[in-house]
mmCIF file of all heavy atoms in Angstrom:
data_model
loop_
_atom_site.group_PDB
_atom_site.id
_atom_site.type_symbol
_atom_site.label_atom_id
_atom_site.label_comp_id
_atom_site.label_asym_id
_atom_site.label_seq_id
_atom_site.Cartn_x
_atom_site.Cartn_y
_atom_site.Cartn_z
ATOM 1 N N ASN A 10 -161.352 20.994 37.093
ATOM 2 C CA ASN A 10 -161.793 20.904 35.695
ATOM 3 C C ASN A 10 -160.876 21.618 34.715
ATOM 4 O O ASN A 10 -161.331 22.137 33.693
ATOM 5 C CB ASN A 10 -163.225 21.485 35.542
ATOM 6 C CG ASN A 10 -164.248 20.732 36.345
ATOM 7 O OD1 ASN A 10 -164.069 19.529 36.603
ATOM 8 N ND2 ASN A 10 -165.312 21.402 36.734
ATOM 9 N N SER A 22 -142.376 22.050 46.597
ATOM 10 C CA SER A 22 -141.051 22.381 47.116
ATOM 11 C C SER A 22 -140.678 23.786 46.625
ATOM 12 O O SER A 22 -141.088 24.204 45.535
ATOM 13 C CB SER A 22 -140.028 21.361 46.595
ATOM 14 O OG SER A 22 -138.708 21.869 46.683
ATOM 15 N N PHE A 48 -149.913 34.518 32.946
ATOM 16 C CA PHE A 48 -150.133 35.199 31.666
ATOM 17 C C PHE A 48 -151.599 35.333 31.262
ATOM 18 O O PHE A 48 -151.901 35.930 30.225
ATOM 19 C CB PHE A 48 -149.387 34.464 30.531
ATOM 20 C CG PHE A 48 -147.893 34.617 30.607
ATOM 21 C CD1 PHE A 48 -147.111 33.631 31.174
ATOM 22 C CD2 PHE A 48 -147.278 35.757 30.125
ATOM 23 C CE1 PHE A 48 -145.732 33.770 31.253
ATOM 24 C CE2 PHE A 48 -145.911 35.921 30.175
ATOM 25 C CZ PHE A 48 -145.126 34.922 30.734
ATOM 26 N N ARG A 76 -144.480 36.213 47.328
ATOM 27 C CA ARG A 76 -143.900 37.154 46.348
ATOM 28 C C ARG A 76 -143.286 38.322 47.121
ATOM 29 O O ARG A 76 -143.977 39.021 47.832
ATOM 30 C CB ARG A 76 -144.977 37.637 45.403
ATOM 31 C CG ARG A 76 -144.538 38.642 44.358
ATOM 32 C CD ARG A 76 -145.735 39.079 43.512
ATOM 33 N NE ARG A 76 -145.368 40.055 42.496
ATOM 34 C CZ ARG A 76 -145.307 41.379 42.728
ATOM 35 N NH1 ARG A 76 -145.586 41.874 43.926
ATOM 36 N NH2 ARG A 76 -144.958 42.194 41.746
ATOM 37 N N ARG A 104 -158.288 45.195 34.058
ATOM 38 C CA ARG A 104 -157.593 44.902 32.803
ATOM 39 C C ARG A 104 -156.600 43.768 33.070
ATOM 40 O O ARG A 104 -155.674 43.937 33.841
ATOM 41 C CB ARG A 104 -156.844 46.137 32.278
ATOM 42 C CG ARG A 104 -157.746 47.292 31.885
ATOM 43 C CD ARG A 104 -156.943 48.563 31.605
ATOM 44 N NE ARG A 104 -156.010 48.394 30.497
ATOM 45 C CZ ARG A 104 -154.685 48.523 30.609
ATOM 46 N NH1 ARG A 104 -154.143 48.812 31.785
ATOM 47 N NH2 ARG A 104 -153.911 48.380 29.548
ATOM 48 N N CYS A 111 -146.344 40.633 36.845
ATOM 49 C CA CYS A 111 -146.414 40.669 38.310
ATOM 50 C C CYS A 111 -145.897 39.359 38.917
ATOM 51 O O CYS A 111 -145.346 39.368 40.030
ATOM 52 C CB CYS A 111 -147.841 40.928 38.770
ATOM 53 S SG CYS A 111 -148.472 42.569 38.347
ATOM 54 N N MET A 116 -141.032 29.472 30.527
ATOM 55 C CA MET A 116 -141.355 28.088 30.216
ATOM 56 C C MET A 116 -140.486 27.588 29.060
ATOM 57 O O MET A 116 -140.365 28.263 28.029
ATOM 58 C CB MET A 116 -142.825 27.929 29.835
ATOM 59 C CG MET A 116 -143.243 26.479 29.600
ATOM 60 S SD MET A 116 -145.034 26.264 29.649
ATOM 61 C CE MET A 116 -145.171 24.489 29.406
ATOM 62 N N PRO A 119 -141.143 21.656 24.257
ATOM 63 C CA PRO A 119 -140.773 21.132 22.931
ATOM 64 C C PRO A 119 -141.143 22.074 21.789
ATOM 65 O O PRO A 119 -140.440 22.117 20.755
ATOM 66 C CB PRO A 119 -141.572 19.828 22.843
ATOM 67 C CG PRO A 119 -141.767 19.405 24.263
ATOM 68 C CD PRO A 119 -141.928 20.678 25.040
ATOM 69 N N ARG A 133 -141.295 37.071 17.131
ATOM 70 C CA ARG A 133 -141.869 38.325 17.656
ATOM 71 C C ARG A 133 -142.675 38.038 18.929
ATOM 72 O O ARG A 133 -142.612 38.827 19.886
ATOM 73 C CB ARG A 133 -142.754 38.999 16.601
ATOM 74 C CG ARG A 133 -141.994 39.691 15.497
ATOM 75 C CD ARG A 133 -142.923 40.549 14.669
ATOM 76 N NE ARG A 133 -143.998 39.789 14.028
ATOM 77 C CZ ARG A 133 -143.889 39.166 12.864
ATOM 78 N NH1 ARG A 133 -142.735 39.173 12.219
ATOM 79 N NH2 ARG A 133 -144.929 38.539 12.358
ATOM 80 N N TRP A 135 -142.227 35.629 21.057
ATOM 81 C CA TRP A 135 -141.288 35.386 22.155
ATOM 82 C C TRP A 135 -140.713 36.716 22.656
ATOM 83 O O TRP A 135 -140.647 36.955 23.869
ATOM 84 C CB TRP A 135 -140.141 34.498 21.659
ATOM 85 C CG TRP A 135 -138.985 34.452 22.614
ATOM 86 C CD1 TRP A 135 -138.919 33.758 23.799
ATOM 87 C CD2 TRP A 135 -137.744 35.165 22.512
ATOM 88 N NE1 TRP A 135 -137.719 33.989 24.406
ATOM 89 C CE2 TRP A 135 -136.988 34.843 23.644
ATOM 90 C CE3 TRP A 135 -137.220 36.020 21.554
ATOM 91 C CZ2 TRP A 135 -135.708 35.370 23.843
ATOM 92 C CZ3 TRP A 135 -135.944 36.542 21.766
ATOM 93 C CH2 TRP A 135 -135.207 36.215 22.901
ATOM 94 N N GLN A 142 -143.158 41.334 30.327
ATOM 95 C CA GLN A 142 -143.114 40.956 31.734
ATOM 96 C C GLN A 142 -142.321 41.958 32.587
ATOM 97 O O GLN A 142 -142.485 41.984 33.812
ATOM 98 C CB GLN A 142 -142.517 39.568 31.928
ATOM 99 C CG GLN A 142 -143.435 38.438 31.509
ATOM 100 C CD GLN A 142 -142.941 37.113 32.024
ATOM 101 O OE1 GLN A 142 -143.168 36.716 33.166
ATOM 102 N NE2 GLN A 142 -142.251 36.396 31.162
ATOM 103 N N GLN A 160 -157.175 48.523 12.572
ATOM 104 C CA GLN A 160 -158.033 49.550 11.984
ATOM 105 C C GLN A 160 -157.547 49.945 10.586
ATOM 106 O O GLN A 160 -158.349 50.109 9.649
ATOM 107 C CB GLN A 160 -158.073 50.789 12.906
ATOM 108 C CG GLN A 160 -158.802 50.526 14.207
ATOM 109 C CD GLN A 160 -158.601 51.654 15.211
ATOM 110 O OE1 GLN A 160 -157.713 52.501 15.040
ATOM 111 N NE2 GLN A 160 -159.411 51.673 16.261
ATOM 112 N N VAL A 169 -161.124 52.265 1.504
ATOM 113 C CA VAL A 169 -161.320 53.641 1.956
ATOM 114 C C VAL A 169 -160.190 54.519 1.419
ATOM 115 O O VAL A 169 -159.008 54.114 1.433
ATOM 116 C CB VAL A 169 -161.377 53.707 3.484
ATOM 117 C CG1 VAL A 169 -161.436 55.163 3.960
ATOM 118 C CG2 VAL A 169 -162.566 52.911 4.005
ATOM 119 N N GLN A 223 -133.861 42.423 13.494
ATOM 120 C CA GLN A 223 -134.093 42.821 12.107
ATOM 121 C C GLN A 223 -135.406 43.608 12.016
ATOM 122 O O GLN A 223 -136.459 43.093 12.357
ATOM 123 C CB GLN A 223 -134.154 41.567 11.214
ATOM 124 C CG GLN A 223 -132.877 40.751 11.264
ATOM 125 C CD GLN A 223 -133.011 39.391 10.610
ATOM 126 O OE1 GLN A 223 -134.101 38.976 10.223
ATOM 127 N NE2 GLN A 223 -131.899 38.666 10.507
ATOM 128 N N THR A 235 -142.632 57.117 7.678
ATOM 129 C CA THR A 235 -141.976 57.084 6.358
ATOM 130 C C THR A 235 -142.130 55.717 5.698
ATOM 131 O O THR A 235 -142.312 55.627 4.473
ATOM 132 C CB THR A 235 -140.472 57.416 6.488
ATOM 133 O OG1 THR A 235 -139.826 56.451 7.343
ATOM 134 C CG2 THR A 235 -140.266 58.807 7.066
ATOM 135 N N HIS A 293 -135.007 38.239 35.854
ATOM 136 C CA HIS A 293 -134.532 38.348 37.228
ATOM 137 C C HIS A 293 -133.930 39.739 37.479
ATOM 138 O O HIS A 293 -134.227 40.389 38.482
ATOM 139 C CB HIS A 293 -133.496 37.257 37.506
ATOM 140 C CG HIS A 293 -132.979 37.251 38.907
ATOM 141 N ND1 HIS A 293 -131.815 36.609 39.278
ATOM 142 C CD2 HIS A 293 -133.454 37.802 40.049
ATOM 143 C CE1 HIS A 293 -131.600 36.773 40.560
ATOM 144 N NE2 HIS A 293 -132.574 37.504 41.061
ATOM 145 N N ASP A 305 -140.631 21.581 30.411
ATOM 146 C CA ASP A 305 -141.547 20.559 29.922
ATOM 147 C C ASP A 305 -140.829 19.655 28.925
ATOM 148 O O ASP A 305 -140.518 20.089 27.805
ATOM 149 C CB ASP A 305 -142.760 21.241 29.256
ATOM 150 C CG ASP A 305 -143.846 20.240 28.892
ATOM 151 O OD1 ASP A 305 -143.834 19.115 29.420
ATOM 152 O OD2 ASP A 305 -144.697 20.599 28.051
ATOM 153 N N ARG A 347 -127.553 13.288 41.801
ATOM 154 C CA ARG A 347 -126.230 13.845 41.498
ATOM 155 C C ARG A 347 -126.162 15.331 41.790
ATOM 156 O O ARG A 347 -125.142 15.837 42.252
ATOM 157 C CB ARG A 347 -125.855 13.573 40.029
ATOM 158 C CG ARG A 347 -125.404 12.148 39.770
ATOM 159 C CD ARG A 347 -124.620 12.060 38.460
ATOM 160 N NE ARG A 347 -125.426 12.426 37.321
ATOM 161 C CZ ARG A 347 -126.145 11.581 36.610
ATOM 162 N NH1 ARG A 347 -126.209 10.297 36.963
ATOM 163 N NH2 ARG A 347 -126.831 11.988 35.566
ATOM 164 N N GLU A 366 -142.274 9.021 46.860
ATOM 165 C CA GLU A 366 -141.113 9.297 47.723
ATOM 166 C C GLU A 366 -139.960 9.780 46.869
ATOM 167 O O GLU A 366 -139.632 9.173 45.854
ATOM 168 C CB GLU A 366 -140.717 8.050 48.494
ATOM 169 C CG GLU A 366 -141.727 7.642 49.547
ATOM 170 C CD GLU A 366 -141.215 6.491 50.386
ATOM 171 O OE1 GLU A 366 -140.036 6.119 50.218
ATOM 172 O OE2 GLU A 366 -141.998 5.979 51.214
#
Side-chain angles (χ1 to χ4, degrees):
N10 298 332
S22 161
F48 289 98
R76 179 182 179 275
R104 295 170 61 241
C111 294
M116 184 163 182
R133 285 191 300 275
W135 168 75
Q142 286 194 83
Q160 291 169 346
V169 175
Q223 300 169 354
T235 60
H293 182 198
D305 188 19
R347 283 199 298 270
E366 291 187 6

